[in-house]
């Protein structure tokens, strides 16, 4: 005789606790392989892939584990600002642990004020994760005027809002009517 396992759902996998030694398979005892954790559901056995559905589809003792069919990429979000580190993610059926967001792009996951929605500020940091630091128009910028002659006064209509002097935009004083001659300026 051969040991056949009970296979009520006829999926080819049987219940390891129900065995009969038979000369031939029967309707109820027809499996040679065990491991079926739900012998009433044809779609649940060790031979199927895990699916995001709240069931242990593949009978491995885990429900909806990483990489299950239908999973989404969740990013680790240590500072809980709604943005995660793009280099640290898992394909999950739902948010779990520190993998709580579907939004990547956080360039500093230890500071909730730094993320793609952050406000760029004059602080030597990339607050909005665009790979630029203290760019033009940042919070707390100052108007710097183009001072081509280096006399400390720039052209009134040539200005940039900057965190600090950059290139020819080096002065906060304006009103120079001849910016090619250092001897001509609004200076007393």
């Amino acid at each position: 005789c051969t040991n056949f396992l009970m296979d009520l759902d006829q999926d080819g996998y049987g219940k390891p606790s129900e065995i009969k030694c038979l000369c031939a398979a029967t309707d109820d005892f027809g499996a040679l392989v065990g491991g079926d954790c739900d012998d009433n559901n044809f779609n649940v056995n060790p031979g199927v892939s895990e699916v995001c559905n709240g069931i242990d589809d593949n009978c491995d003792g885990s429900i909806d584990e990483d990489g299950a069919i239908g999973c989404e990429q969740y990013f680790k979000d240590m500072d809980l600002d709604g943005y995660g580190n793009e280099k640290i993610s898992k394909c999950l059926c739902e948010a779990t642990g520190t993998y709580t967001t579907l939004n990547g792009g956080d360039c500093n996951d230890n500071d909730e004020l730094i993320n793609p929605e952050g406000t760029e500020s004059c602080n030597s940091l990339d607050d909005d994760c665009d790979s630029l630091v203290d760019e033009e128009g940042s919070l707390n910028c100052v108007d710097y005027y183009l001072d081509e002659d280096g006399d400390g006064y720039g052209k009134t209509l040539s200005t940039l809002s900057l965190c600090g002097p950059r290139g020819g935009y080096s002065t906060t004083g304006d009103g120079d009517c001849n910016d090619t001659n250092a001897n001509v300026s609004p200076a007393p």
Side-chain angles (χ1 to χ4, degrees):
C1 67
T2 302
N3 284 330
F4 286 96
L5 291 82
M6 181 182 280
D7 186 12
L8 296 176
D9 59 12
Q10 309 263 321
D11 61 3
Y13 294 87
K15 294 172 87 175
S17 60
E18 301 283 335
I19 300 173
K20 281 189 180 179
C21 194
L22 304 169
C23 293
T26 66
D27 285 342
D28 288 346
F29 287 85
L32 296 172
V33 180
D36 199 333
C37 56
D38 184 352
D39 203 30
N40 293 312
N41 187 338
F42 181 83
N43 296 313
V44 175
N45 62 64
V48 300
S49 297
E50 189 70 25
V51 177
C52 291
N53 60 7
I55 298 172
D56 181 11
D57 301 287
N58 59 7
C59 298
D60 66 354
S62 298
I63 296 174
D64 297 346
E65 59 258 29
D66 298 1
I69 295 171
C71 65
E72 293 184 90
Q73 207 67 29
Y74 280 86
F75 299 96
K76 192 171 192 176
D77 185 10
M78 295 301 294
D79 57 14
L80 302 175
D81 62 0
Y83 291 88
N85 183 336
E86 286 186 3
K87 296 176 183 171
I88 306 173
S89 66
K90 289 184 180 182
C91 196
L92 303 170
C93 296
E94 61 184 30
T96 184
T98 56
Y99 294 86
T100 58
T101 183
L102 298 170
N103 302 313
D106 199 333
C107 57
N108 183 345
D109 204 28
N110 294 313
D111 186 334
E112 75 241 8
L113 299 177
I114 297 177
N115 61 58
E117 292 294 320
T119 301
E120 190 66 35
S121 177
C122 294
N123 59 7
S124 300
L125 299 172
D126 180 11
D127 301 290
D128 58 6
C129 298
D130 64 356
S131 299
L132 301 172
V133 175
D134 296 348
E135 61 258 33
E136 182 179 347
S138 296
L139 186 65
N140 299 322
C141 277
V142 174
D143 286 339
Y144 281 88
Y145 298 92
L146 181 62
D147 184 12
E148 294 178 305
D149 59 13
D151 62 4
Y153 293 91
K155 296 177 184 178
T156 302
L157 299 177
S158 296
T159 182
L160 292 178
S161 182
L162 304 170
C163 292
R166 182 172 61 190
Y169 293 86
S170 58
T171 184
T172 57
D174 71 334
D176 198 332
C177 60
N178 184 352
D179 204 32
T180 58
N181 184 341
N183 295 321
V184 177
S185 73

